[in-house]
Amino acid sequence: QYVIGHLRFGHISEYNSSYFYEIGGETPLLERILPGAGALLTEGNLTPSVPGTVTVQVKLSGEEYTLRYEAKDTIPPKATLKEVLPVFYVGTELPDPMVFFENIEDHTRVTATYKVNYVLDRAEQKELTVLLTDEGKNTVTVTVTVSWRIRKGQTPYRRSFPE
């Protein structure tokens, strides 16, 4: 006899809250998650750093409850490009896209990938599209203009590189 949203279910003491916590946001008050005054956290973390279901143990009116609510990340990362970008040479591999950024702000882990495969076979300026994605699957697209040069005495050749 388990009905979501109620505190007591015979011997089961669980509460699934409709509340959600924005990762990196203000620490939630238990009263917002679990209606009723006097709930105390006995085990768990109210402010996780990874999206998903949060499970904590609370005590209310002398009884222990398992409390579940969602932690979400809905805010995309913010990034600052380096003021001076490196110069690359024809025939070298694409660098890790993180090399273009001075600062990446987010409350979860951020990965950087190139949007497409780039062919680096001649001296030129090229716009590269970099995708910054956090653990909440929020993505920001950044365009970076970089220069490829031929080293003195180097013969240009065609080579493509993976993302």
Side-chain angles (χ1 to χ4, degrees):
Q1 300 171 2
Y2 183 83
V3 179
I4 293 177
H6 294 278
L7 286 176
R8 296 194 55 121
F9 313 96
H11 299 311
I12 300 172
S13 297
E14 294 189 8
Y15 184 77
N16 293 305
S17 177
S18 60
Y19 173 86
F20 82 89
Y21 168 70
E22 177 67 43
I23 292 175
E26 181 180 319
T27 300
L29 300 173
L30 276 174
E31 288 79 25
R32 289 186 190 157
I33 305 167
L34 180 66
L40 298 172
L41 180 69
T42 58
E43 183 180 326
N45 180 2
L46 288 178
T47 58
S49 60
V50 178
T53 301
V54 178
T55 302
V56 295
Q57 300 298 317
V58 296
K59 193 171 203 171
L60 179 63
S61 302
E63 295 200 34
E64 292 279 335
Y65 297 95
T66 298
L67 172 63
R68 289 185 184 85
Y69 62 95
E70 291 299 312
K72 298 179 181 181
D73 179 9
T74 62
I75 301 169
K78 293 180 184 176
T80 304
L81 281 173
K82 289 183 178 176
E83 284 189 37
V84 178
L85 296 175
V87 173
F88 303 99
Y89 292 95
V90 171
T92 58
E93 292 188 19
L94 279 171
D96 178 331
M98 289 291 198
V99 74
F100 302 120
F101 303 99
E102 282 183 332
N103 189 23
I104 296 176
E105 297 176 23
D106 199 79
H107 293 286
T108 64
R109 190 174 60 84
V110 175
T111 58
T113 56
Y114 292 104
K115 186 173 182 178
V116 298
N117 288 331
Y118 292 98
V119 176
L120 313 173
D121 63 347
R122 63 179 180 266
E124 66 180 333
Q125 276 200 329
K126 192 170 201 99
E127 287 189 348
L128 306 178
T129 303
V130 177
L131 305 174
L132 295 174
T133 306
D134 65 18
E135 288 185 338
K137 305 293 185 225
N138 303 298
T139 299
V140 64
T141 302
V142 181
T143 301
V144 181
T145 303
V146 294
S147 296
W148 267 267
R149 295 186 180 157
I150 297 176
R151 291 185 196 268
K152 190 173 183 176
Q154 181 182 18
T155 304
Y157 62 95
R158 186 168 189 82
R159 184 174 170 193
S160 60
F161 299 93
E163 287 186 296

